[in-house]
Amino acid sequence: MDFAWDQADVAFRRELGDFLDRELAGWDRSETGLGSAVYSDFSRGFVGRLADRGWLTPHWPREYGGGGQGAWQHFVLGEEMWRRGEPRGPQYMNVNWVGPAIIKYGTEDQRRKLLPPIARGEVFWCQGFSEPEAGTDLAALRTKAVRDGDSYVLNGQKIWTSYANVADYCFLLARTGSAADGRDGISVFLLPLNTPGAQVRRIPGFVGDHSFNELFLTDARIPADCLLGEENKGWEIVRRTLAYERVGAPRYARAALVLDRLAAEVGASGRLADPGIQEQFGRARAACEAARVLVYRVIDERAKAKEPSPRAYQARAAMVQAERAVGDLALDVLGSEALVEGALGDAQFRNSLGAGIAAGSYEVQLNLISRLILELPKD
Ligand SMILES: Cc1cc2nc3c(=O)[nH]c(=O)nc-3n(C[C@H](O)[C@H](O)[C@H](O)COP(=O)(O)OP(=O)(O)OC[C@H]3O[C@@H](n4cnc5c(N)ncnc54)[C@H](O)[C@@H]3O)c2cc1C
């Protein structure tokens, strides 16, 4: 691939950066918890202003509220957002993969009804995949959807559902076949969260206040047209969805920002002259840069409309390494100060813990790399 940016992308990044510097003056994500009312309220207003400029879903087709732009422009947007702490909040899920999944697998009615509100920044979605006994082993999920006339009736429990407390819809996985069908008996539902029988309960978590939730479904009845794609064919949708999710969030950009702030803090104390500390900073910076170029390779594949490849696993594993390198560095150089709640080091350390679990754990990415890229034997 050609790593040089073209003039149009450079100009776009500059224009976007100027807009964000104005819009985000005084906004500090570290002061608000993910999923907190303050954070979500800010995001709702902010994404509306982005949408007004056509910058929320620039890569979607125009007929569904997109700008008809390419994968790179969308990615430049993602990088600039994450460099500033991701002010779009839960919207990154909508625009990166919920919308594209509906574009690819939805009926025309679903597209016309569900996509424009996302493109205008009016709705939040959450992702209802994990269950108490089904995380990594997603095919073990037990939430049931039973067809009853023109409806499906949902029963079961989801866990770790980020943003469910503020979301309008859930991109939900449920079993429509038998347990023995494994991954072949799973379907995707586009569940309105105001459905009677759908109840969200918050759970405390290490990432920040109010970020995690459980979703309980008790005889929740939804119209049959909430099914996305074909019944029992949800695994294919999820496989592609997770490929988008793995690199959709350029977390290395936020890690690099934290690294710069750490360097400024440590530099002010004169400790940057220490060769040991310099080496640690160098290693963390190299990890961020490695993640950046590995992610670019995946975006290049997408821009060329290739099928998602195992390179996405490498890119995501490298992003986890970058986040961890910066989190560990913060603990090393700031000492006990890094553990003060809400401090830069504390936020980075928590983020790096979550990064290695959310969207498929780090160890599982390594397994996939060993099998699909290095072609090592399974045992
Ligand atoms: C910040 C954050 C946000 C999240 N948001 C959401 C969300 O919005 N929606 C949602 O549905 N879920 C969400 N999750 C849940 C996440 O997807 C699961 O936690 C994840 O898939 C792991 O599942 P588990 O917790 O059941 O752990 P397990 O599957 O029980 O794994 C526990 C440990 O065992 C290891 N392990 C398991 N299987 C293997 C294997 N085959 N080889 C090697 N090691 C293995 C794992 O690496 C892990 O370290 C979120 C999690 C986090 C941390």
Side-chain angles (χ1 to χ4, degrees):
M1 68 173 277
D2 177 4
F3 282 94
W5 293 98
D6 69 32
Q7 286 305 314
D9 289 333
V10 173
F12 172 60
R13 196 187 283 273
R14 196 175 309 120
E15 189 189 353
L16 176 66
D18 290 346
F19 168 78
L20 293 177
D21 289 346
R22 280 196 309 277
E23 278 286 325
L24 301 177
W27 182 73
D28 185 354
R29 143 89 187 278
S30 63
E31 290 172 4
T32 60
L34 281 170
S36 70
V38 178
Y39 184 56
S40 308
D41 286 351
F42 177 85
S43 293
R44 277 188 203 272
F46 171 72
V47 293
R49 293 191 289 282
L50 265 186
D52 288 345
R53 294 180 158 244
W55 287 348
L56 190 57
T57 52
H59 57 309
W60 288 14
R62 288 188 196 281
E63 65 260 44
Y64 306 122
Q69 304 283 341
W72 282 111
Q73 189 180 22
H74 170 55
F75 197 71
V76 166
L77 252 161
E79 264 190 345
E80 293 301 313
M81 295 297 160
W82 278 82
R83 278 189 54 201
R84 291 163 171 85
E86 186 45 292
R88 292 174 298 181
Q91 287 285 345
Y92 75 89
M93 287 197 270
N94 300 4
V95 303
N96 282 346
W97 58 261
V98 173
I102 296 173
I103 292 170
K104 186 165 173 60
Y105 297 99
T107 61
E108 198 49 30
D109 280 352
Q110 287 171 331
R111 294 183 190 135
R112 301 240 165 253
K113 178 179 164 205
L114 298 171
L115 296 172
I118 297 182
R120 290 194 297 268
E122 293 169 356
V123 288
F124 285 164
W125 283 69
C126 63
Q127 169 182 310
F129 288 9
S130 307
E131 297 186 5
E133 303 297 329
T136 301
D137 185 12
L138 207 49
L141 65 85
R142 290 185 298 196
T143 292
K144 275 293 268 177
V146 177
R147 180 82 189 232
D148 181 23
D150 286 343
S151 314
Y152 281 95
V153 180
L154 303 171
N155 279 288
Q157 182 197 348
K158 296 289 166 180
I159 194 166
W160 315 124
T161 325
S162 309
Y163 302 112
N165 54 318
V166 291
D168 305 286
Y169 289 93
C170 181
F171 192 95
L172 182 93
L173 287 187
R175 185 160 291 292
T176 34
S178 72
D181 294 332
R183 60 179 61 174
D184 295 329
I186 293 172
S187 302
V188 174
F189 292 92
L190 308 171
L191 166 73
L193 276 174
N194 61 5
T195 302
Q199 194 197 5
V200 172
R201 281 190 218 152
R202 289 181 174 179
I203 33 179
F206 61 82
V207 185
D209 289 345
H210 317 310
S211 72
F212 290 129
N213 304 276
E214 289 169 301
L215 170 62
F216 293 90
L217 297 161
T218 313
D219 291 332
R221 183 176 287 271
I222 50 174
D225 64 8
C226 291
L227 174 73
L228 180 69
E230 287 177 55
E231 199 180 89
N232 293 331
K233 299 280 189 226
W235 195 260
E236 162 65 10
I237 300 178
V238 169
R239 205 176 58 80
R240 293 189 68 95
T241 297
L242 289 183
Y244 288 130
E245 196 191 12
R246 263 179 213 112
V247 294
R251 290 170 162 273
Y252 59 82
R254 185 174 187 281
L257 167 75
V258 173
L259 194 60
D260 287 344
R261 288 202 193 160
L262 282 175
E265 252 178 67
V266 175
S269 69
R271 288 164 59 215
L272 262 187
D274 178 336
I277 290 189
Q278 283 178 10
E279 185 182 328
Q280 276 182 293
F281 269 97
R283 283 183 188 282
R285 173 66 69 193
C288 292
E289 285 298 290
R292 187 169 69 85
V293 292
L294 287 168
V295 169
Y296 283 4
R297 287 203 316 185
V298 180
I299 305 301
D300 187 56
E301 290 180 345
R302 193 175 300 168
K304 292 172 179 160
K306 296 185 179 167
E307 279 295 294
S309 82
R311 286 180 166 188
Y313 306 128
Q314 281 178 311
R316 207 179 96 70
M319 279 203 275
V320 174
Q321 286 173 359
E323 286 235 75
R324 286 182 179 172
V326 178
D328 290 350
L329 176 74
L331 293 191
D332 282 352
V333 298
L334 298 179
S336 58
E337 231 180 89
L339 296 176
V340 175
E341 201 179 336
L344 189 63
D346 174 61
Q348 180 61 28
F349 185 64
R350 289 172 194 238
N351 263 317
S352 66
L353 284 177
I357 306 170
S361 67
Y362 177 67
E363 293 76 13
V364 172
Q365 310 299 312
L366 295 187
N367 282 351
L368 290 163
I369 291 167
S370 80
R371 194 155 52 82
L372 300 173
I373 298 176
L374 301 176
E375 297 181 5
L376 297 175
K378 216 170 168 191
D379 298 311

